[in-house]
Amino acid sequence: MGGGGPDEEDNNNDKWPPWLKPLLKEQFFVQCKLHMDSHKSECNMYCLDCMNGSLCSFCLAYHRDHNYIQIRRSSYHDVIRVSEIQKYLDISGVQTYVINSAKVVFLNERPQPRPGKGVINTCEVCDRSLVDNFRFCSLGCKIVGTSKDFRKKKRQLAMVSSDSEDSYSSSSHGKPRKNDDNSNKVRSFSPSTPPPTSVNYRNAK
């Protein structure tokens, strides 16, 4: 297997293989610097054991006994076949697509101007439209979305939004309550005198 050491994340304690982050940052479909004179020297392979950049098919001669995966392209975005990646990585919750009769997942998020009309389900990280009950649009979004930092920020945002809703409801519906509190205080200190509001009203007349 190509890795999968526990607790090897830098900023959080999520368990990811050490090759995953380098893989997602790697640039694929560029010409190989070592075999640029050769035909088909486009780099679309990645060695999970060496983690030393993208490789072309000629580079694989040096990685015969290693675990490697092939990266493919769909609409200028990098994808990997589910049948390949699921041997090494838990991809549950990530949206899958069928491209050229093969089920694939995207490596990184793809910017989307805005979700379409009637979209119910979106990526928890980038808000891209999703089908069914998937949580993330890509492997990159799953890394971010399952990190402790992200979950903590999401909880804080949820608390802030609920606080703002509470303050709105109290400002629109809670005014009588405030007056009631004040009048109760006044009454408790001087039960024989009327509340200050009614005194002011008489003086104004």
Side-chain angles (χ1 to χ4, degrees):
M1 205 181 249
D7 299 327
E8 291 192 37
E9 275 294 286
D10 41 22
N11 292 328
N12 60 65
N13 294 321
D14 292 327
K15 295 177 182 180
W16 295 111
W19 48 261
L20 183 55
K21 274 193 172 183
L23 167 70
L24 298 181
K25 291 176 182 174
E26 192 56 57
Q27 190 175 5
F28 294 98
F29 300 96
V30 293
Q31 195 172 33
C32 180
K33 291 174 182 176
L34 298 174
H35 305 101
M36 56 177 60
D37 296 332
S38 304
H39 182 57
K40 290 187 178 178
S41 62
E42 193 175 53
C43 293
N44 65 337
M45 303 284 184
Y46 190 82
C47 179
L48 306 181
D49 297 322
C50 298
M51 300 181 287
N52 57 354
S54 56
L55 309 169
C56 74
S57 54
F58 297 103
C59 294
L60 290 181
Y62 304 99
H63 301 267
R64 279 178 188 162
D65 299 325
H66 296 179
N67 294 290
Y68 58 85
I69 52 177
Q70 183 177 357
I71 307 302
R72 299 162 198 275
R73 273 259 154 128
S74 173
S75 304
Y76 303 102
H77 293 283
D78 297 335
V79 301
I80 186 167
R81 283 185 175 172
V82 168
S83 58
E84 281 189 64
I85 193 67
Q86 68 183 3
K87 295 175 191 172
Y88 309 103
L89 189 68
D90 174 19
I91 60 167
S92 60
V94 181
Q95 172 80 65
T96 58
Y97 299 86
V98 176
I99 297 172
N100 294 333
S101 303
K103 198 179 276 190
V104 301
V105 290
F106 282 86
L107 266 62
N108 293 295
E109 68 176 81
R110 292 159 294 144
Q112 186 179 33
R114 58 180 177 270
K117 288 182 180 178
V119 172
I120 299 170
N121 193 29
T122 59
C123 176
E124 291 180 15
V125 176
C126 71
D127 291 327
R128 185 175 184 86
S129 304
L130 300 178
V131 298
D132 300 329
N133 294 318
F134 292 105
R135 295 174 58 197
F136 309 106
C137 71
S138 62
L139 297 178
C141 281
K142 181 170 181 176
I143 287 183
V144 174
T146 54
S147 70
K148 286 187 176 180
D149 288 344
F150 183 81
R151 291 198 299 262
K152 192 175 177 182
K153 283 176 187 172
K154 205 165 185 183
R155 279 197 300 270
Q156 288 171 347
L157 284 172
M159 286 170 68
V160 168
S161 63
S162 65
D163 286 348
S164 62
E165 283 175 14
D166 289 344
S167 63
Y168 170 77
S169 61
S170 65
S171 63
S172 57
H173 303 292
K175 282 181 181 176
R177 231 178 278 153
K178 284 184 180 177
N179 289 343
D180 288 347
D181 292 344
N182 289 338
S183 60
N184 285 339
K185 283 178 187 172
V186 172
R187 283 183 191 132
S188 64
F189 286 115
S190 51
S192 59
T193 57
T197 48
S198 55
V199 173
N200 293 340
Y201 178 70
R202 285 177 191 160
N203 291 341
K205 271 189 172 182

